[in-house]
Amino acid sequence: MKSVLDFPKAKSKNEMISMVTCYDYTSARLVESTAIDCILVGDSVAMTMHGHDSTLPATVEMMAAHTAAVRKGAPSKFIVTDLPFLAHRGSLDRTLEAARLIMASGAQALKIEGIDGSEDVFKHIVQSGVPVLGHLGLTPQSVHQFGGFKVQATSPEAQEMLLQQALKVEAAGAFALVLECVPTSIAKIVTERLSIPTIGIGAGAGCSGQVLVFQDLLGLNREFKPKFVRTFVDGFSMFQTALNQFDQEVKSGTFPAAHESFNPKVDAGAHVKPISKPHEGSEATQ
Ligand code: KIV
């Protein structure tokens, strides 16, 4: 995905869109090296990187700082960043300043949760030149209104409401829509009724694409294993084993070895850090 124009193209060609969350430079370099289509700098950063128990503590400054780091690590990826909790619910000036800060940090689009009561601001942001990704279903910024992180749109009335909200998101000018934790059947209906693509998380296989949280798909978050998460690798055990091995080798004296230590005869003036960034070409470390 190079730009927002690639999203409708993918849907018209029936090509699935892959999206992963990412919050830091090192992880972004890893994602940059993959075929994954696009990155979401989600406000889940408040949970995954800052240890909060919801996304509510995420701020505009936090989103901008993480977006800037991700952009440096993933220069070729399409990046969408969340507008954090309440950032678009105050004055229009405040909303536009939040959007400006985040876009200036390297995002190509913003994600906005919900639509009821924010149709006008949603449209205003789109008409100001900022592509917007919608987000319906279990919108985590409304966790307290939902009484917890619960599957949404399970009754016929709630499903009809979701469909109407999705049509409003499309009418407001969104280029795509995230559907989170809703039954497969309603996600499929929404996807068929909209011309823009849907990107599901816990919304079944009938969406136009899928998004997962980086830490979840890499198995780094052992405590969190809801039904919709597939862990593609047990990253926690893998890194834990490596860290324990480091500890053990430090204590047994097998790390560092001679070839991992400096010798004045061969290492005088050796560089220990690349001067240019690795993605800009230099691999040399010594
Ligand atoms: O913030 C986030 O990670 C998200 C995804 C779960 C879609 O909004």
Side-chain angles (χ1 to χ4, degrees):
M1 297 269 159
K2 293 281 168 264
S3 83
V4 77
L5 304 179
D6 295 319
F7 286 82
K9 276 189 206 156
K11 181 163 183 175
S12 66
K13 290 195 218 154
N14 259 329
E15 285 169 6
M16 292 293 280
I17 299 163
S18 59
M19 178 183 261
V20 66
T21 70
C22 190
Y23 318 98
D24 68 277
Y25 170 74
T26 301
S27 307
R29 287 191 58 218
L30 190 57
V31 179
E32 173 77 2
S33 74
T34 71
I36 287 174
D37 292 316
C38 44
I39 290 177
L40 170 65
V41 183
D43 57 359
S44 49
V45 67
M47 303 172 82
T48 55
M49 303 298 282
H50 294 262
H52 295 292
D53 63 1
S54 79
T55 61
L56 272 53
T59 62
V60 171
E61 291 70 24
M62 188 189 283
M63 300 313 300
H66 286 279
T67 301
V70 170
R71 172 51 77 206
K72 287 188 196 125
S76 82
K77 296 291 180 191
F78 187 86
I79 298 179
V80 189
T81 296
D82 260 316
L83 256 190
F85 185 51
L86 300 183
H88 63 295
R89 303 291 299 196
S91 72
L92 192 55
D93 282 356
R94 197 176 144 242
T95 301
L96 293 183
E97 182 51 17
R100 194 199 63 75
L101 242 179
I102 294 174
M103 296 300 282
S105 308
Q108 281 149 290
L110 296 177
K111 176 161 78 59
I112 296 182
E113 290 190 11
I115 186 70
D116 292 335
S118 47
E119 292 96 324
D120 288 347
V121 75
F122 199 119
K123 279 186 198 156
H124 191 90
I125 295 172
V126 173
Q127 287 165 3
S128 305
V130 179
V132 177
L133 173 63
H135 185 168
L136 296 174
L138 171 51
T139 44
Q141 291 172 12
S142 303
V143 61
H144 295 306
Q145 207 154 38
F146 297 146
F149 295 98
K150 295 183 178 167
V151 180
Q152 299 297 305
T154 49
S155 69
E157 298 74 29
Q159 296 192 351
E160 179 54 28
M161 193 169 89
L162 180 72
L163 177 59
Q164 293 311 318
Q165 288 173 332
L167 291 167
K168 281 192 219 166
V169 166
E170 176 164 80
F175 68 90
L177 170 66
V178 169
L179 288 174
E180 179 163 354
C181 292
V182 297
T184 307
S185 51
I186 183 63
K188 194 165 180 296
I189 291 171
V190 170
T191 304
E192 284 163 2
R193 286 287 300 276
L194 298 187
S195 58
I196 56 173
T198 57
I199 302 177
I201 173 162
C207 295
S208 328
Q210 298 291 328
V211 54
L212 278 179
V213 167
F214 184 94
Q215 282 75 2
D216 295 346
L217 85 88
L218 295 182
L220 297 171
N221 189 1
R222 268 191 172 168
E223 294 76 39
F224 186 64
K225 189 69 188 79
K227 191 175 180 179
F228 66 88
V229 167
R230 185 181 296 177
T231 48
F232 288 82
V233 62
D234 183 358
F236 194 98
S237 300
M238 206 174 78
F239 288 120
Q240 187 185 47
T241 301
L243 289 165
N244 275 328
Q245 193 171 342
F246 167 66
D247 171 74
Q248 190 253 309
E249 297 210 16
V250 167
K251 289 172 182 166
S252 66
T254 56
F255 177 82
H259 71 276
E260 292 156 328
S261 310
F262 294 117
N263 172 335
K265 291 206 179 93
V266 291
D267 294 317
H271 284 286
V272 294
K273 259 171 125 182
I275 290 170
S276 61
K277 297 213 180 87
H279 66 258
E280 288 165 355
S282 171
E283 289 295 317
T285 52
Q286 288 194 17

